[in-house]
Amino acid sequence: MDIMQTSDSSHHGIVENSPYRTPYGRHVESGNLGGSWYFSRKEIEENSLSRKDGIDLKKESYLRKSYCTFLQDFGMRLKVPQVTIATAIVFCHRFFLRQSHAKNDRLTIATVCMFLAGKVEETPRPLKDVVLISYEIIHKKDPAAVARIKQKEVYEQQKELILIGERAVLITLGFDLNVHHPYKPLVEAIKKFKVAQNALAQVAWNFVNDGGQQPNVGALRAKPRGATTVPRE
């Protein structure tokens, strides 16, 4: 597959020299990153394919945070529940545990993960909406982007990119789409201890949400600080 979209790409958002990388990298094949999605920070660092491609920890952390921010904005524009956004972030973290940032554009992968998360969480959005809104956000500094993505040729290119990407993400994740969010047990605990209006509840929400920025994948979520609305189950 020799198609990848970059966030600072050519006029039509397509470059032809860098594929989605499938199947798994050699670290997964050798068993270093096995079936479980729970890893120590040391394990994640030692098995980072991005690091082996010359991306240091600071840069990789920036890339992770940038796609989390993108997904939060993207999800709000798509009007999906917070749990869907959280699932998309988890998928993205999982993907980049097994793939390198140097070979896969993070915003393209993030778009694919949102499309996939919508279906997994039973909050699907039409592929057309996903393509249009993602492209507009990625190229928000380009005044011509809104009109360009409505051109049939450009739209079809981006649509195909997402569909190819969906297969790549599914293969990389080993078709494991199970995500256990911490929101439900947190809500139950808040009710049990009757601290809904307490500062402790807000601290708990912030703690859970901030986890979405870190790649200790398995219980990672993201939600804006200060938001106390319980996400839809």
Side-chain angles (χ1 to χ4, degrees):
M1 304 173 203
D2 293 326
I3 303 174
M4 187 181 81
Q5 175 183 341
T6 62
S7 55
D8 52 354
S9 55
S10 62
H11 181 71
H12 292 302
I14 298 289
V15 293
E16 299 178 347
N17 60 352
S18 187
Y20 290 110
R21 304 297 178 178
T22 57
Y24 304 154
R26 55 192 171 90
H27 292 284
V28 176
E29 291 173 346
S30 64
N32 289 3
L33 293 180
S36 172
W37 288 111
Y38 293 88
F39 305 101
S40 68
R41 185 175 298 276
K42 181 180 179 181
E43 287 175 318
I44 293 171
E45 288 303 310
E46 288 180 349
N47 289 282
S48 172
L49 294 177
S50 296
R51 198 78 69 258
K52 295 181 184 303
D53 283 331
I55 296 176
D56 62 23
L57 176 59
K58 183 177 180 180
K59 178 65 173 179
E60 188 174 15
S61 296
Y62 163 77
L63 294 173
R64 290 192 198 112
K65 290 179 181 179
S66 69
Y67 67 62
C68 288
T69 300
F70 168 79
L71 284 168
Q72 188 66 48
D73 185 18
F74 189 22
M76 292 176 68
R77 291 275 300 273
L78 284 172
K79 299 181 180 179
V80 297
Q82 185 64 38
V83 69
T84 302
I85 298 173
T87 296
I89 289 174
V90 172
F91 289 165
C92 223
H93 282 326
R94 289 179 177 181
F95 180 89
F96 283 110
L97 269 180
R98 292 179 166 178
Q99 303 290 353
S100 171
H101 279 282
K103 297 182 176 74
N104 298 275
D105 179 67
R106 68 194 186 284
L107 300 187
T108 301
I109 296 300
T111 299
V112 170
C113 289
M114 180 64 77
F115 181 54
L116 189 58
K119 292 188 280 189
V120 169
E121 297 296 345
E122 299 183 350
T123 57
R125 292 298 182 266
L127 178 56
K128 182 177 181 180
D129 291 352
V130 171
V131 172
L132 292 177
I133 294 174
S134 171
Y135 193 88
E136 290 173 9
I137 296 174
I138 291 172
H139 299 279
K140 60 186 176 182
K141 294 183 179 180
D142 182 357
V146 175
R148 185 166 62 246
I149 189 57
K150 293 179 181 178
Q151 298 172 11
K152 181 177 175 58
E153 180 182 357
V154 178
Y155 170 77
E156 290 298 329
Q157 287 177 330
Q158 299 303 309
K159 175 182 173 181
E160 182 65 17
L161 187 70
I162 301 307
L163 294 175
I164 293 172
E166 183 179 30
R167 294 193 292 273
V169 170
L170 285 170
I171 293 171
T172 297
L173 270 55
F175 294 86
D176 179 3
L177 304 178
N178 292 316
V179 176
H180 301 287
H181 291 290
Y183 291 127
K184 185 175 181 179
L186 177 58
V187 170
E188 291 174 350
I190 288 173
K191 289 179 179 178
K192 178 179 179 180
F193 295 106
K194 300 179 180 179
V195 293
Q197 304 303 318
N198 191 292
L200 177 62
Q202 185 62 65
V203 172
W205 276 118
N206 291 342
F207 182 80
V208 167
N209 298 330
D210 289 349
Q213 301 283 334
Q214 303 298 325
N216 297 50
V217 185
L220 303 180
R221 312 293 168 262
K223 192 165 183 272
R225 274 184 172 274
T228 56
T229 303
V230 178
R232 194 174 87 182
E233 296 298 331

